[in-house]
Amino acid sequence: MSFRTSTQYVEDVSPGSGALPPRAWYASSDAKALCLGGSWRFRLSDTADAEDDSFAAPGYDAGGWAQVSVPGHWVLQGHGSPVYTNHLYPFPVDPPRVPTENPTGDHLRLFDLPGDWPEDGGTVLRFDGVESCARVWLNGTDLGEFKGSRLPHEFAVGHLLKPGGNVLAVRVHQWSAGSYLEDQDQWWLPGIFRDVTLLHRPAGGVLDFFVHASYDHTTGAGTLRVDSDADGRVTVPDLGIDVAAGEPVTVPVEPWSAETPRLYEGVLATGSERVPLRIGFRTVALSDGLIKVNGRPVLFKGVNRHEWHPERGRALDLATMREDVLLMKRHNINAVRTSHYPPHPAFLGLCDELGLWVIDECDLETHGFTEQGWRDNPVDDDRWTPALLDRAARMVERDKNHPSVVIWSLGNEAGTGRGLTAMAEWIHGRDPSRLLHYEGDPGCRDTDVYSRMYADHAEVERIGRRLDGGTHKRRQLPFVLCEFGHAMGNGPGGLADYQQLFEAHERLQGGFVWEWIDHGIAHPELGYAYGGDFGEELHDGNFVCDGLLFPDRRPSPGLTEYKKVIEPVGISGDGTDGTVRVTNKYDFADLSALAFSWTYEAEGEVVDSGTLAVPALAPGASADLGLPEPPPGAPAGEALWTVRAVLAADTPWAPKDHVVAWGQIPAAQRRTPYVAAAARPVARDGVITLGPGVFDARTGALRAVGDVAVSGLRLDVWRATTDNDDGAAWQSGLRYGLLWRKLGLHRMRHRLDAVEVGEDALTVRTRVAPAARETALSAVYRWTSDGDRLRLAVATVPEGDWTVPLPRLGIRFGLPAADRVEWFGGGPGEAYPDTKAASAVGRWRSTVEDMQTPYVRPQENGARIDVRWAELGGLRVEGDPAFWLTARRWTTEQLDGATHRTDLLPGGTVWVNLDHGQHGIGSQSCGPAPLPRYHLRAEPAEFSFVFSVSATPNAG
């Protein structure tokens, strides 16, 4: 055998050589299969040509090599380091050339065939995902090479196999010409990260098949035709179907939709193989300028989903994929865009089974070419078109039999060009039963959907009203926000405002929040690592952590908010007429699968409860239903009705009584706290006492309320800036976090102007301002007491020319000890002005630790909204008006300076913020800033708090 070191194929723009034509993927048949995952021998080289191919020969001694798990990424197994960039290529842009420094992983797997492996027919070797370029040998024979990291490739190997001692050798290069097509805002993670499988292909077996299963919504009939490259018969027992492959048959059926995912089990049988079929009847059409499925418009309530696991990267197992789908369903999500590549095929099977609309996106993004004005962009270079067409074909052929896939997407952020047009023409010709999407085509020349990302609310409304201009074709098309609501850190804000627009304008058919999960990598010192934590030359920091799930798949407050915003049942009422309006917001399902109940709550405590009879409303229908009379003898004070819609029975995705939707209706208004100014301040021995309050006589600073020590009480306007406050560098709008720092709001100075002891009040006058600026806030603290309780009235007036809103406005102080926190107000989780839809008024309990939201990069978090009263550390606080409550074991300054959660070390003081106002959150880490109505403007403000010692022993 001669040994070679040629690596010209790495920089070849072609998709590869030696692989079989793409075909449909199916999970199983009765033909034999052998999984080749597990422990492989591994050798890492710094360059593509450092080693010859002698390792592929039988008998090669790899005993001294390391071992890695396949599926897996070698950089997550101790060999090299991950690299994160959003769109910058981490290598010089000189297509199709790549650096000489090209980490290359040689993989070896020895295997025996099972004793019952058939000798007839053929066998194929299947790779479901390898990043980014691989060359393959079996028993010393060079099979070929391939690119297209998130796409399947198969090789015919039956003639090379032997019963025992087979040697499978795979050389994987991190960088290749294919890398220019895979610049997809994610970690660059080389390796064999999806399944490797040996599949027996019996003579006369099924190589490829195409299930066509349409639905006529006017007759209720479905038409099935299964095209196959082998003669066979199609049987569907539940429908009494038994026909030859290729023969159409029409029968009455229950249609498939994301809400009612009816699948029929069938079989495609030849003389030598039986392939199971899961058939969903549905028709996708562009009709009346709308995306319609089974004759009805759909409203996408979706997410973008990168594949991710904090330890295994993109090497996902079935349990993790199922967990993702279950979490989506339980949070009212009905659609997923597979950004920005086809997912593991088993994920689509779960979408079929459990019900999600899917935009299946091709493995294509060339975003880095924006740095040079798209010059030399591969999608407008004919040399690359065969690779683009190969990627399109491998996606469509693999996934064509999934009813959940309703739209194909050409890729993402790849500019425009002839190659994309060629892809579109091929896909339209191969599968006219689905629509075609691509956001980067502003004229919609090649697409069936007008798609944008991060358009602000005003522009989305113009589009909904068809006032957006554009080409004639585009103006006739439905609109989808393929990305919006950038879920980076605290946020996203403004989701409810978007949803109101989607529901108000027929043309707006929903959107997909960016994105599903934070891509933090588990790290022993940092908790979760992000860009730059591995010494990358170029990186985009924590921009890789922009998901609705934390890396460990715990839902973030953003996901809880999204669930509420997109809930499929509207429950509303103003409390004036004793009724509740229930609206069915499903596209297809009635409300028969839900049970409704009510509770009557006084001062946050449930007083009475019962069931609510709601008719099985059709989609879009509403009903006004009477609520019972308030129960006799209910406690006085604020009261409300909470109405819930829950699952009436177990479903495949959630158990009975899972809450699908809820609403609250006022029943009795709150009584604001009142404190008569009956006690007099007394000055003695350097202190002033006023009722339970003890103050420093010189500064007027509060020292204690009864036996509860208090420190550092003062006006506070700063918050540890969120990712959305700081905004994205490419944003043209005002980035408020940067402006706040420039103004110096993170380093405010407090000047004491006067301490005034009056007949019934202690008044402290201060001026709060940053160094080097003339802008300021005058703040007057007026303390009064009735002898048992202490009231603080705060009045603030801005001075100077305030050109930016405030981050927050309120007071903060320290308590020496607090653990438990109880409050009556919004909860159970955090909320801000434009992220408060999911905040329910109630009586809530927590610990200080559990009030923190563990964003991967620490930032402002944990505020509870509309708090009427709170108890912690032995102190009770009541507010007028209701306030935001935050409590943490570190200062805002410490939070602001932390880069990872592990930087935050609890101290002996619990720092409490009682905020009159907070600036909105928005989505400016990639999208729009908070809407103006959520700005905290610098203007005169008055607010008050009543302090007392908690009546509950050891409270807090």
Side-chain angles (χ1 to χ4, degrees):
M1 170 181 279
S2 62
F3 302 124
R4 301 177 303 136
T5 58
S6 173
T7 58
Q8 291 180 352
Y9 63 89
V10 173
E11 297 181 335
D12 191 335
V13 297
S14 74
S17 65
L20 296 169
R23 64 188 181 105
W25 187 94
Y26 47 94
S28 64
S29 76
D30 60 355
K32 296 291 183 182
L34 178 63
C35 173
L36 296 179
S39 180
W40 289 47
R41 289 291 181 178
F42 176 78
R43 174 181 65 188
L44 181 63
S45 303
D46 292 333
T47 65
D49 59 356
E51 303 284 351
D52 60 30
D53 57 16
S54 60
F55 79 105
Y60 184 89
D61 183 7
W65 287 20
Q67 291 184 307
V68 294
S69 293
V70 172
H73 305 278
W74 70 68
V75 293
L76 298 183
Q77 301 183 61
H79 305 280
S81 298
V83 174
Y84 168 61
T85 60
N86 166 30
H87 76 279
L88 296 174
Y89 288 107
F91 47 79
V93 179
D94 183 23
R97 305 296 301 277
V98 294
T100 300
E101 298 82 13
N102 188 356
T104 295
D106 290 333
H107 299 70
L108 272 179
R109 173 74 155 85
L110 275 62
F111 66 93
D112 299 330
L113 292 177
D116 59 351
W117 194 266
E119 296 182 2
D120 65 311
T123 297
V124 299
L125 174 65
R126 184 183 186 95
F127 295 88
D128 279 308
V130 182
E131 183 176 330
S132 72
C133 172
R135 192 171 195 94
V136 186
W137 296 263
L138 181 64
N139 291 330
T141 297
D142 185 354
L143 301 179
E145 78 286 338
F146 61 88
K147 306 178 189 76
S149 297
R150 268 66 70 175
L151 295 163
H153 296 82
E154 291 182 332
F155 297 91
V157 297
H159 60 296
L160 299 174
L161 290 169
K162 52 189 180 180
N166 292 283
V167 179
L168 175 58
V170 185
R171 173 164 285 167
V172 180
H173 307 282
Q174 175 156 19
W175 311 122
S176 70
S179 301
Y180 285 99
L181 305 180
E182 297 172 5
D183 188 23
Q184 294 147 324
D185 184 11
Q186 60 182 330
W187 293 99
W188 300 85
L189 299 174
I192 305 171
F193 68 95
R194 287 187 185 160
D195 305 309
V196 181
T197 313
L198 204 63
L199 300 166
H200 177 243
R201 306 308 312 134
V206 178
L207 288 180
D208 194 16
F209 65 97
F210 197 162
V211 176
H212 304 274
S214 61
Y215 178 72
D216 186 337
H217 66 279
T218 63
T219 65
T223 299
L224 175 67
R225 187 184 83 246
V226 180
D227 295 333
S228 171
D229 61 358
D231 292 336
R233 295 197 70 78
V234 176
T235 56
V236 186
D238 284 357
L239 296 175
I241 291 176
D242 186 348
V243 297
E247 180 179 329
V249 58
T250 301
V251 293
V253 298
E254 298 174 36
W256 187 96
S257 75
E259 296 168 7
T260 54
R262 179 64 163 98
L263 292 175
Y264 290 91
E265 302 294 330
V267 173
L268 169 60
T270 71
S272 59
E273 186 178 19
R274 292 172 57 84
V275 177
L277 306 176
R278 304 175 84 197
I279 302 164
F281 291 89
R282 56 107 186 96
T283 295
V284 184
L286 181 61
S287 176
D288 303 320
L290 299 173
I291 303 165
K292 293 186 179 180
V293 179
N294 301 336
R296 298 186 62 87
V298 296
L299 183 60
F300 294 123
K301 303 170 181 179
V303 292
N304 288 274
R305 175 184 175 269
H306 267 301
E307 295 183 302
W308 188 251
H309 187 280
E311 284 95 27
R312 301 193 299 271
R314 287 188 287 278
L316 299 189
D317 58 7
L318 183 61
T320 300
M321 290 184 266
R322 179 175 288 275
E323 183 179 1
D324 278 347
V325 176
L326 292 178
L327 281 168
M328 290 177 189
K329 294 289 290 187
R330 291 169 183 169
H331 286 86
N332 294 328
I333 290 164
N334 72 1
V336 60
R337 174 179 174 230
T338 68
S339 53
H340 298 294
Y341 43 82
H344 191 292
F347 178 80
L348 297 178
L350 293 168
C351 295
D352 297 340
E353 172 191 336
L354 297 170
L356 288 172
W357 307 116
V358 174
I359 296 181
D360 197 357
E361 192 148 272
C362 196
D363 190 9
L364 174 61
E365 181 169 336
T366 64
H367 198 173
F369 284 90
T370 58
E371 296 299 306
Q372 53 201 63
W374 294 108
R375 186 177 65 255
D376 299 328
N377 186 9
V379 305
D380 201 30
D381 183 335
D382 292 338
R383 295 176 302 162
W384 296 81
T385 299
L388 302 182
L389 290 172
D390 179 76
R391 288 171 184 245
R394 291 188 182 278
M395 172 183 70
V396 171
E397 301 296 1
R398 190 196 77 167
D399 297 341
K400 61 196 174 195
N401 295 324
H402 289 284
S404 58
V405 177
V406 291
I407 297 175
W408 301 114
S409 178
L410 297 179
N412 184 69
E413 292 178 313
T416 56
R418 299 184 298 275
L420 288 169
T421 298
M423 293 172 69
E425 290 174 349
W426 185 90
I427 293 174
H428 272 132
R430 176 57 173 149
D431 181 23
S433 72
R434 292 178 173 94
L435 304 184
L436 191 60
H437 164 274
Y438 177 62
E439 180 271 339
D441 181 9
C444 299
R445 178 183 64 181
D446 299 324
T447 64
D448 302 310
V449 179
Y450 176 30
S451 176
R452 287 285 306 283
M453 55 175 67
Y454 306 112
D456 64 24
H457 298 80
E459 182 179 3
V460 170
E461 183 169 21
R462 288 195 300 273
I463 293 170
R465 296 180 182 276
R466 300 187 184 275
L467 302 175
D468 54 303
T471 63
H472 176 76
K473 178 185 178 183
R474 192 181 87 181
R475 295 197 305 273
Q476 311 310 309
L477 294 181
F479 176 77
V480 169
L481 268 175
C482 68
E483 294 179 23
F484 81 112
H486 197 251
M488 185 176 177
N490 187 333
L495 294 180
D497 305 278
Y498 275 116
Q499 191 65 23
Q500 289 173 6
L501 293 172
F502 298 159
E503 294 178 3
H505 302 285
E506 185 180 55
R507 186 190 186 192
L508 306 179
Q509 294 199 249
F512 297 78
V513 168
W514 186 270
E515 67 154 308
W516 178 236
I517 188 169
D518 286 342
H519 298 192
I521 294 178
H523 191 283
E525 286 84 38
L526 301 175
Y528 291 106
Y530 49 76
D533 288 334
F534 297 97
E536 299 102 305
E537 181 181 31
L538 290 175
H539 66 85
D540 287 287
N542 66 313
F543 200 73
V544 77
C545 294
D546 48 11
L548 293 169
L549 295 181
F550 297 120
D552 60 3
R553 281 184 160 73
R554 281 185 294 166
S556 75
L559 182 56
T560 304
E561 175 80 355
Y562 195 35
K563 175 187 178 181
K564 175 62 179 170
V565 165
I566 61 175
E567 60 188 11
V569 182
I571 299 171
S572 61
D574 59 14
T576 60
D577 59 0
T579 66
V580 58
R581 168 161 288 195
V582 176
T583 302
N584 182 352
K585 296 185 177 183
Y586 285 112
D587 293 326
F588 296 91
D590 63 24
L591 299 187
S592 59
L594 301 178
F596 291 78
S597 64
W598 58 265
T599 57
Y600 184 86
E601 299 156 27
E603 292 295 311
E605 298 287 359
V606 175
V607 176
D608 201 1
S609 63
T611 60
L612 187 67
V614 177
L617 298 170
S622 298
D624 293 316
L625 307 168
L627 291 167
E629 291 293 323
E638 184 175 4
L640 52 81
W641 303 91
T642 299
V643 176
R644 295 178 178 86
V646 303
L647 292 178
D650 291 345
T651 70
W653 51 270
K656 178 184 177 182
D657 295 329
H658 166 78
V659 176
V660 174
W662 59 271
Q664 291 189 311
I665 300 155
Q669 296 301 312
R670 178 193 183 207
R671 295 181 299 184
T672 57
Y674 171 75
V675 175
R680 293 187 174 188
V682 177
R684 182 183 297 114
D685 299 329
V687 299
I688 299 171
T689 58
L690 177 59
V694 180
F695 301 82
D696 185 293
R698 184 179 62 85
T699 64
L702 179 66
R703 289 183 175 179
V705 177
D707 59 358
V708 179
V710 178
S711 61
L713 189 148
R714 65 185 190 183
L715 191 75
D716 194 14
V717 300
W718 181 247
R719 72 184 187 194
T721 53
T722 69
D723 293 313
N724 287 306
D725 290 337
D726 292 335
W730 55 86
Q731 292 289 353
S732 58
L734 298 177
R735 298 165 62 191
Y736 291 110
L738 277 62
L739 292 173
W740 293 335
R741 289 187 195 277
K742 182 177 180 181
L743 187 58
L745 300 188
H746 61 307
R747 48 177 176 79
M748 300 292 273
R749 304 292 179 86
H750 297 253
R751 187 183 76 200
L752 177 63
D753 286 341
V755 178
E756 301 169 356
V757 179
E759 283 294 311
D760 60 358
L762 169 65
T763 302
V764 180
R765 303 182 186 277
T766 68
R767 186 178 189 270
V768 184
R773 301 288 178 178
E774 64 176 358
T775 50
L777 293 170
S778 70
V780 178
Y781 309 92
R782 187 172 189 273
W783 298 93
T784 57
S785 175
D786 61 4
D788 296 318
R789 296 176 298 165
L790 186 65
R791 180 177 185 265
L792 167 63
V794 181
T796 65
V797 177
E799 299 176 359
D801 184 16
W802 283 88
T803 59
V804 296
L806 295 169
R808 73 182 336 138
L809 180 66
I811 62 168
R812 82 168 182 184
F813 56 87
L815 296 176
D819 182 23
R820 291 178 294 142
V821 185
E822 183 173 355
W823 72 97
F824 176 35
E830 74 178 25
Y832 291 83
D834 53 350
T835 65
K836 63 181 182 180
S839 184
V841 174
R843 191 163 176 170
W844 306 104
R845 295 170 180 84
S846 178
T847 64
V848 171
E849 284 71 22
D850 288 344
M851 290 187 74
Q852 315 312 307
T853 304
Y855 295 116
V856 174
R857 185 191 74 81
Q859 55 199 273
E860 166 62 35
N861 73 89
R864 270 55 176 182
I865 197 173
D866 293 332
V867 176
R868 282 74 162 158
W869 59 258
E871 293 187 0
L872 71 166
L875 193 68
R876 180 180 175 91
V877 184
E878 301 170 78
D880 181 18
F883 57 94
W884 272 272
L885 169 69
T886 308
R888 52 176 70 105
R889 297 190 189 279
W890 36 78
T891 65
T892 297
E893 290 75 19
Q894 290 168 328
L895 181 64
D896 196 27
T899 60
H900 296 81
R901 287 280 300 173
T902 51
D903 295 336
L904 295 171
L905 303 177
T909 301
V910 170
W911 291 97
V912 180
N913 278 86
L914 309 177
D915 289 320
H916 175 62
Q918 282 264 3
H919 186 64
I921 296 298
S923 188
Q924 204 175 8
S925 52
C926 194
L931 288 167
R933 62 176 168 271
Y934 302 124
H935 289 194
L936 179 58
R937 304 189 186 282
E939 56 192 15
E942 295 184 0
F943 49 95
S944 67
F945 304 101
V946 176
F947 298 91
S948 59
V949 176
S950 173
T952 305
N954 301 317

